[in-house]
Amino acid sequence: MAEPLFAIHIIQTIIGVIGLTGNAIVVIVICKVKFMHTKTNAFICNQAVVDFLGSLFLIVTSALPVPDPLPDNSGYQIVCHLWLSEFFLWACYTSSNYNLVSLTSERYVAIVYPFKYSTLYTRKSIVGMMAIIWFLGLLLEASYSVATNRYENGQCFRSASFSSKALGVVIVVFQFSIPAIFMLFSYSHMAVELKRSANRVGAVAPTVSANSAPANGEGEARPENAEQSLLRARRNVFRTLLLVFITFLVCWTPIQVVFIMFNIFSILDYTGATYVISLSLVGINSCANPFIYAFKYKQFRRGFLSLIGRPIQAEDTPGN
């Protein structure tokens, strides 16, 4: 069993390195390229920073050896509660989830309630939301790690008491279930609203298809108006973030099932393959987003090409 687990830890390290590199590129592109300085991209940048730190802690927790048994002193009791509980790693992952909720909310208001957008999403309110995102991740994981981890006779383990199990269920609900349900509702409603907008724009200013007669008699299609361009940009961002949400569901569901099983049957081996593989999937979620942006988010591709000095095709990039 040792050799397969060693291989899994190597894979975790590789996932972490990819996450570090990809999220660092996202942060650099958004910070360095001026037209990337939008409200949506501010949340995407915050997501990349949180995922960067999550990838860093994934590497460190996979690589650092843990003495067994632990020395019997107060210092290692702190190590048990803060490090061996993977507090910092899960605080980053939880903050990442809440940032995804905030990013979804930002897009939801922009698409469903556009006239309220500029009032609700100011520079000050966005900074406040980001501070709350970081605080909630730390608070939620600190309450769970301190309350459930135990240190006895040189061993650090998760408590199987009723209160610990109850708190574990609460963590699953607030860390995964509520965000997933909220985002599922939001993306469903946004899809309906975008469909309505497309029908409305198409009725008012229909675009010229490839088989239609040229608009100006010279073989050139009629250019998009501002409303069509804004709708196209919003649909691109929507599709990108929808893929981010689907990836979140796929990567986070196994670890939540593992935690639920632990809280029912009190069986959870932190060195076992089931837990390590489930944790690796959460790590994959942190490193997958930059690839999604690269392949699906047109504005990010333009920003990256601009940063490295490659020519880009001029097109509108509305801020919301």
Side-chain angles (χ1 to χ4, degrees):
M1 189 65 184
E3 290 185 2
L5 279 179
F6 177 75
I8 292 173
H9 284 299
I10 293 296
I11 293 172
Q12 279 188 330
T13 302
I14 295 173
I15 292 170
V17 171
I18 295 173
L20 283 177
T21 305
N23 286 295
I25 292 174
V26 172
V27 173
I28 292 170
V29 170
I30 293 177
C31 291
K32 291 289 187 180
V33 180
K34 188 173 182 180
F35 68 74
M36 295 293 291
H37 295 175
T38 67
K39 295 172 182 178
T40 303
N41 289 338
F43 285 103
I44 290 177
C45 184
N46 193 52
Q47 185 90 33
V49 172
V50 177
D51 287 342
F52 177 91
L53 292 176
S55 298
L56 177 62
F57 284 119
L58 180 64
I59 294 173
V60 176
T61 53
S62 299
L64 285 183
V66 178
D68 187 17
L70 297 173
D72 188 11
N73 59 58
S74 58
Y76 273 92
Q77 292 186 25
I78 297 175
V79 169
C80 175
H81 287 292
L82 293 182
W83 184 253
L84 297 182
S85 66
E86 297 177 334
F87 160 70
F88 296 105
L89 177 66
W90 284 105
C92 290
Y93 286 160
T94 302
S95 292
S96 178
N97 289 358
Y98 284 123
N99 190 86
L100 186 56
V101 169
S102 297
L103 182 55
T104 302
S105 300
E106 187 268 345
R107 284 295 83 204
Y108 181 80
V109 174
I111 292 172
V112 180
Y113 303 105
F115 296 108
K116 297 181 180 180
Y117 182 84
S118 58
T119 302
L120 294 175
Y121 285 89
T122 63
R123 180 186 296 270
K124 185 177 180 179
S125 67
I126 290 174
V127 171
M129 290 176 196
M130 291 182 181
I132 292 173
I133 288 167
W134 286 86
F135 175 75
L136 285 177
L138 292 170
L139 178 64
L140 204 63
E141 291 308 316
S143 62
Y144 184 63
S145 299
V146 172
T148 61
N149 261 40
R150 295 289 182 268
Y151 178 77
E152 294 178 6
N153 301 321
Q155 298 296 321
C156 183
F157 59 92
R158 191 77 73 185
S159 172
S161 66
F162 175 79
S163 60
S164 296
K165 290 181 180 181
L167 183 57
V169 173
V170 171
I171 292 296
V172 170
V173 169
F174 281 91
Q175 184 186 65
F176 175 76
S177 301
I178 291 177
I181 293 171
F182 171 79
M183 288 188 284
L184 181 62
F185 165 79
S186 298
Y187 283 110
S188 299
H189 196 180
M190 282 190 280
V192 172
E193 187 62 31
L194 284 172
K195 180 65 176 177
R196 290 175 180 170
S197 298
N199 292 337
R200 183 172 60 253
V201 171
V204 174
T207 56
V208 178
S209 67
N211 296 325
S212 301
N216 56 9
E218 298 179 359
E220 296 181 4
R222 182 185 304 161
E224 290 182 329
N225 60 32
E227 191 172 4
Q228 289 172 317
S229 178
L230 178 60
L231 176 62
R232 176 175 52 81
R234 284 179 172 174
R235 291 173 75 172
N236 175 247
V237 177
F238 168 80
R239 289 167 181 162
T240 302
L241 297 181
L242 178 61
L243 186 55
V244 170
F245 168 60
I246 294 173
T247 304
F248 159 78
L249 286 181
V250 172
C251 292
W252 270 83
T253 300
I255 197 72
Q256 300 306 313
V257 173
V258 168
F259 277 132
I260 288 294
M261 295 299 290
F262 165 71
N263 288 299
I264 295 175
F265 299 109
S266 302
I267 300 174
L268 181 57
D269 181 4
Y270 282 91
T271 62
T274 301
Y275 176 77
V276 175
I277 291 173
S278 300
L279 180 60
S280 299
L281 283 174
V282 178
I284 289 174
N285 182 67
S286 293
C287 71
N289 291 344
F291 291 95
I292 295 174
Y293 302 146
F295 286 103
K296 297 295 293 181
Y297 190 15
K298 293 179 180 179
Q299 192 186 60
F300 177 78
R301 291 204 303 270
R302 292 183 68 244
F304 179 77
L305 292 175
S306 174
L307 184 67
I308 64 176
R310 293 284 298 277
I312 56 177
Q313 182 178 0
E315 61 182 21
D316 294 329
T317 55
N320 63 356

